[in-house]
Amino acid sequence: MRGGWLRIYALLYLVFLYAPIILLPLFAFNNGSIIAFPLQGFTTRWFVELTTIPALHTAVLNSLMIAVTTAIVSTALGLCAARAATRYEFPAKRGIMGLIMVPLVLPEIIVAVSLLVVMLQLGLGLSAMTVILGHVLICTPFSIAILNSSFQNLDRSLEEAAFDLGETRFSTFRLITLPLIMPGIISSLLIAFTISLDEFIIAFFLTGNEPTLPVYLWSQLRFPQRIPVVMALGTILVALSILLLTTAEYFRRRGIARTGADDTGGFL
Amino acid sequence: MAGQDRTGRFWRSDAASGLILVSPTALYAILLLAVPVAMVLAISFWTQNYLEIDRTFTLKNYAEALSEPLYRQLMLRSLTISGAVTLTTVVLAFPIAYFVSFHVSPSRKSLWIFLITIPFWTSYLIRVFLWKVILGFNGVLNTSLQGLGFIDEPLTFILYNANAVVITLAHAYAPFAILPIFVALEKIDRSLLEASQDLGENRVTTFLRVTLPLAMPGVVAAVLIVFIPTIGDYVTPRLVGGPNGLMIANMIQTQFLKLNNAPLGAALAVIAMVMVSTIALIFVGLNRRYLRGPK
């Protein structure tokens, strides 16, 4: 046993971190409409009820569409910026990269409010499109962080060798660079998808009358009788997030193994 | 001729390739971040007249935001809560980062980091709501403590007040504090610690005089990355804060979406940002001796 007391503290801390997630399925399968102990027995009726709510289905489809678009656009923007930042030196690099990375620390309500102001001033209506614009803004820094490490682990001599052997810039990128950073691209897509799917405040301000899944959830939290169904939905969402993240982590590690670097751990 | 040659060389240079490549992302950030934030700044100097916005320059919104006791109280409370969240989160996170960096075998470090980050990626709304379930009057915590005989009456100081907001946000921002500290600890050259002990320091003084100062860049990053976003949190104060736990973001939302007074909301947002940035800069300034790179 290394670490003694620290290890005990670490385990307690993990309990603190996981407490809400562990409770979620307990209440989702609980045969009672009040969210409290003691539990009333096992049921799957809350999950069955999920299939009977059309507003929920619309919200899910809307969220999926937004999340997929956001994932693709922010990964594409992330690829450009990460490649530029790791491969080239250019004027005002720190300033430009700083501006792009700002949404990582900026309170989301500021992003939401400022985009709302612009949309209203330009007289543009709110829709799924405006939510996508906001989500791409906050997901791109995460994509860049992931792709930066992919590009940093990339051995530049491989690209130079392809270049010397007569490949063009584009074919070098397609044949050498792209396959090597593919795991990074996949994990960036998955992370951006997950962030967008879960994001509430920007969607709340910018969604107009097409609610996303979190906005729909928010509207349901006001009604005590709806809570068990929300718990069931939450269980599905958490299971889905964990599945996506494990996949993203798998690809990230495979990418590291492929470029032959050491694993330093973590997405961020 | 020479000028043309120079431009030609520029377009083939690293600088040009880099700028061209970064331009789509940079342009996106300028159009959808810099311009909108500038717009918020502009609108905070305008006035709302029913459905129209009067674009004559005025400081009226700032005067109102800074003199109205309600707004001042909310602002002060937001800063206090954010400060408390930051302190709690970073103090709780440091031992975890230290444990993973110094006591977990290298092959299992990424597993630990993965375990720590997972809860952060699950639905934020639902996590916050479950804290309400845990901390409530008939909540999980109260019923278990009563069941175990530790308390007779349910604890009431843990829900619908600032404490609940601090607990919930400390949970939500845990990975943001752990990761930067972990990265800073990982960078510490372990031979420095041996050297310190060889030179007669004990484990505590080694920690205080070698490990902690070297970990400070991570701690500073953790403080900033927790403090700045928490000031603008909307969901947590709304769900678990009760009337005395509301924060400035709730008022900004009310001004924009309910009272239809965008200029006042914008002024509140600008004031919040200026205060957070000022505090962040002062904090970085106070710690600048730790932030200098290795000589």
Side-chain angles (χ1 to χ4, degrees):
Chain A
M1 275 294 263
R2 292 200 286 164
W5 285 106
L6 263 180
R7 181 171 292 265
I8 295 168
Y9 175 75
L11 292 174
L12 283 175
Y13 195 85
L14 280 186
V15 172
F16 166 65
L17 281 184
Y18 280 84
I21 302 180
I22 292 165
L23 288 172
L24 190 58
L26 290 183
F27 292 122
F29 289 107
N30 179 30
N31 192 9
S33 52
I34 299 162
I35 304 296
F37 283 119
L39 297 175
Q40 309 282 318
F42 182 85
T43 179
T44 52
R45 71 179 155 127
W46 308 122
F47 288 88
V48 176
E49 210 174 308
L50 281 178
T51 60
T52 63
I53 310 169
L56 170 67
H57 302 163
T58 324
V60 168
L61 286 179
N62 198 20
S63 264
L64 284 177
M65 192 273 287
I66 291 173
V68 168
T69 318
T70 302
I72 294 169
V73 177
S74 56
T75 303
L77 288 177
L79 270 173
C80 293
R83 174 74 172 174
T86 47
R87 173 73 175 74
Y88 301 103
E89 285 307 319
F90 49 89
K93 184 175 175 180
R94 284 190 61 175
I96 294 174
M97 292 311 292
L99 174 70
I100 295 172
M101 298 305 270
V102 155
L104 213 54
V105 285
L106 202 63
E108 284 183 359
I109 188 144
I110 303 290
V111 176
V113 160
S114 55
L115 284 172
L116 180 72
V117 164
V118 169
M119 294 306 155
L120 294 182
Q121 288 293 307
L122 294 177
L124 297 173
L126 299 176
S127 66
M129 189 60 213
T130 46
V131 180
I132 293 172
L133 290 177
H135 282 182
V136 168
L137 195 66
I138 58 159
C139 289
T140 306
F142 284 92
S143 294
I144 293 175
I146 295 165
L147 293 166
N148 257 343
S149 66
S150 298
F151 279 120
Q152 262 157 13
N153 291 334
L154 192 70
D155 189 349
R156 243 168 89 176
S157 54
L158 291 173
E159 289 177 308
E160 280 160 16
F163 219 61
D164 289 346
L165 293 170
E167 296 291 342
T168 63
R169 261 189 177 194
F170 179 73
S171 61
T172 305
F173 185 78
R174 192 172 60 83
L175 293 169
I176 308 292
T177 318
L178 205 56
L180 284 173
I181 55 160
M182 199 38 119
I185 294 179
I186 292 173
S187 70
S188 154
L189 284 171
L190 292 173
I191 295 290
F193 179 84
T194 316
I195 295 174
S196 167
L197 199 63
D198 185 38
E199 200 287 329
F200 168 70
I201 196 77
I202 292 175
F204 185 48
F205 271 78
L206 299 177
T207 194
N209 48 15
E210 302 168 37
T212 64
L213 185 56
V215 176
Y216 173 80
L217 268 177
W218 178 256
S219 70
Q220 298 302 299
L221 287 176
R222 267 179 298 162
F223 307 112
Q225 73 274 21
R226 309 290 289 182
I227 300 302
V229 183
V230 171
M231 295 288 121
L233 184 60
T235 308
I236 296 174
L237 285 178
V238 167
L240 202 70
S241 307
I242 292 177
L243 190 74
L244 282 178
L245 287 168
T246 317
T247 320
E249 173 72 3
Y250 169 77
F251 278 106
R252 195 188 62 83
R253 287 191 187 190
R254 224 176 76 172
I256 287 166
R258 208 183 268 189
T259 46
D262 284 332
D263 189 356
T264 46
F267 295 115
L268 296 171
Chain B
M1 224 24 221
Q4 216 173 8
D5 195 39
R6 211 175 300 147
T7 30
R9 212 179 311 146
F10 173 75
W11 285 113
R12 272 175 275 121
S13 70
D14 260 21
S17 314
L19 277 177
I20 293 169
L21 201 51
V22 84
S23 60
T25 321
L27 215 60
Y28 193 91
I30 290 169
L31 285 178
L32 285 137
L33 182 68
V35 171
V37 168
M39 199 98 152
V40 168
L41 194 62
I43 212 173
S44 71
F45 293 109
W46 296 343
T47 324
Q48 185 86 40
N49 278 334
Y50 302 102
L51 290 174
E52 303 222 316
I53 283 188
D54 177 2
R55 299 193 181 188
T56 37
F57 179 89
T58 170
L59 289 171
K60 194 175 83 43
N61 300 310
Y62 287 94
E64 190 177 346
L66 292 171
S67 62
E68 181 77 40
L70 173 66
Y71 302 143
R72 278 166 58 173
Q73 192 198 353
L74 274 176
M75 205 71 85
L76 205 62
R77 184 193 292 150
S78 304
L79 289 174
T80 321
I81 290 182
S82 277
V85 170
T86 311
L87 189 70
T88 321
T89 315
V90 173
V91 168
L92 288 178
F94 194 93
I96 296 298
Y98 185 84
F99 170 75
V100 178
S101 181
F102 282 77
H103 293 289
V104 172
S105 64
S107 57
R108 305 194 52 185
K109 277 180 185 171
S110 59
L111 176 70
W112 269 88
I113 294 296
F114 185 59
L115 277 178
I116 288 165
T117 36
I118 279 191
F120 160 69
W121 294 108
T122 57
S123 174
Y124 181 54
L125 279 182
I126 291 186
R127 260 185 297 149
V128 176
F129 182 79
L130 281 161
W131 276 106
K132 189 170 154 176
V133 173
I134 294 173
L135 300 172
F137 189 78
N138 285 318
V140 176
L141 193 64
N142 274 327
T143 41
S144 353
L145 287 178
Q146 277 177 305
L148 293 168
F150 285 129
I151 51 171
D152 298 322
E153 292 289 312
L155 307 171
T156 51
F157 62 88
I158 48 174
L159 187 63
Y160 297 130
N161 55 32
N163 294 337
V165 178
V166 174
I167 296 173
T168 310
L169 285 177
H171 179 262
Y173 282 87
F176 282 121
I178 295 174
L179 289 174
I181 300 174
F182 171 74
V183 170
L185 288 171
E186 283 289 278
K187 282 189 190 148
I188 296 177
D189 187 347
R190 301 301 197 258
S191 58
L192 291 175
L193 308 182
E194 284 166 27
S196 161
Q197 296 206 352
D198 287 348
L199 292 170
E201 302 280 0
N202 61 33
R203 285 176 68 177
V204 177
T205 51
T206 300
F207 176 79
L208 291 176
R209 298 183 63 180
V210 182
T211 316
L212 196 56
L214 288 172
M216 275 315 276
V219 174
V220 171
V223 165
L224 296 182
I225 218 166
V226 176
F227 182 71
I228 300 174
T230 45
I231 202 97
D233 195 84
Y234 173 82
V235 173
T236 303
R238 190 67 201 286
L239 279 182
V240 301
N244 293 322
L246 288 181
M247 288 165 66
I248 196 67
N250 306 94
M251 184 46 76
I252 295 174
Q253 186 264 348
T254 309
Q255 294 296 343
F256 269 95
L257 300 185
K258 298 228 174 87
L259 300 178
N260 196 21
N261 191 346
L264 185 56
L268 289 170
V270 171
I271 292 172
M273 283 317 294
V274 168
M275 287 207 299
V276 171
S277 320
T278 313
I279 294 174
L281 285 176
I282 292 172
F283 183 76
V284 170
L286 288 176
N287 287 289
R288 68 178 178 279
R289 69 193 181 97
Y290 298 115
L291 301 176
R292 280 191 302 245
K295 289 185 196 80

